[in-house]
Amino acid sequence: MDTNLPAYRAPAETRIGHVHLKVADIPRALAFWHGLLGLDVMIQGPSVAFLSAGGYHHHIALNTWESLGGTPPPEGHTGLFHVAILYPDRASLAGVLKRLRDAGVALEGASDHGVSEALYLRDPDGNGVELYRDRPREEWPVDEQGKMTMYTRRLDVGALLAEA
């Protein structure tokens, strides 16, 4: 890969459109992504499902094209760290946390990053999932020069759950 190219900046309006996840079993994956997290099934076939929120064509695609009956990748290998789902507000994040708790789904972590609050877990195929909400921009932490900073602190899950 040539790294001596001229500088380039993606347009400010650029967004991550969707993520395709390799899964072992479509019905099991749908039980998590649709049944538990509430994403709408837009299209479903025997080896693929497209899910979204708000009627978009798809935010998450699940497929078994190269992974039918497969196992999660072993620790220490490259691959997707997690897919992040942005919730519109703290109450929505609290609602999905309550749903996870009620379903007996364990969190791997819960962090306050200053700019956001995040919950971390795994889907049934071992894919990392981050469920988060952004704080309003005017609440983001800044340093002495006014530049945005971030940190990782323990999120008070009890206080978040109380808002559900």
Side-chain angles (χ1 to χ4, degrees):
M1 177 172 60
D2 184 0
T3 57
N4 295 316
L5 297 172
Y8 170 77
R9 291 187 72 190
E13 300 80 16
T14 301
R15 300 288 179 262
I16 304 299
H18 59 268
V19 175
H20 278 250
L21 298 175
K22 294 193 275 186
V23 300
D25 179 89
I26 294 292
R28 182 182 74 181
L30 282 172
F32 177 82
W33 292 98
H34 170 65
L36 186 58
L37 295 186
L39 294 176
D40 295 324
V41 178
M42 303 305 288
I43 298 172
Q44 182 180 350
S47 62
V48 68
F50 295 95
L51 300 103
S52 81
Y56 187 64
H57 54 79
H58 70 289
H59 291 107
I60 302 288
L62 309 168
N63 73 67
T64 58
W65 301 327
E66 299 175 353
S67 56
L68 182 63
T71 59
E75 292 288 321
H77 285 73
T78 60
L80 180 72
F81 184 70
H82 66 234
V83 59
I85 298 176
L86 175 62
Y87 285 79
D89 51 46
R90 195 163 202 259
S92 299
L93 185 62
V96 76
L97 172 59
K98 181 180 183 326
R99 189 161 175 80
L100 293 168
R101 285 282 170 98
D102 291 349
V105 174
L107 295 179
E108 289 190 340
S111 298
D112 178 347
H113 296 297
V115 298
S116 64
E117 295 178 306
L119 307 171
Y120 299 96
L121 60 146
R122 298 253 167 216
D123 80 353
D125 290 285
N127 293 306
V129 179
E130 176 185 355
L131 308 176
Y132 75 107
R133 71 102 184 182
D134 278 338
R135 285 192 168 92
R137 211 173 266 257
E138 59 273 7
E139 294 178 18
W140 290 4
V142 295
D143 63 17
E144 301 78 34
Q145 290 78 37
K147 187 174 179 171
M148 181 198 71
T149 62
M150 290 178 64
Y151 50 76
T152 299
R153 297 179 182 153
R154 187 181 142 298
L155 179 64
D156 185 344
V157 175
L160 178 60
L161 199 54
E163 295 193 30

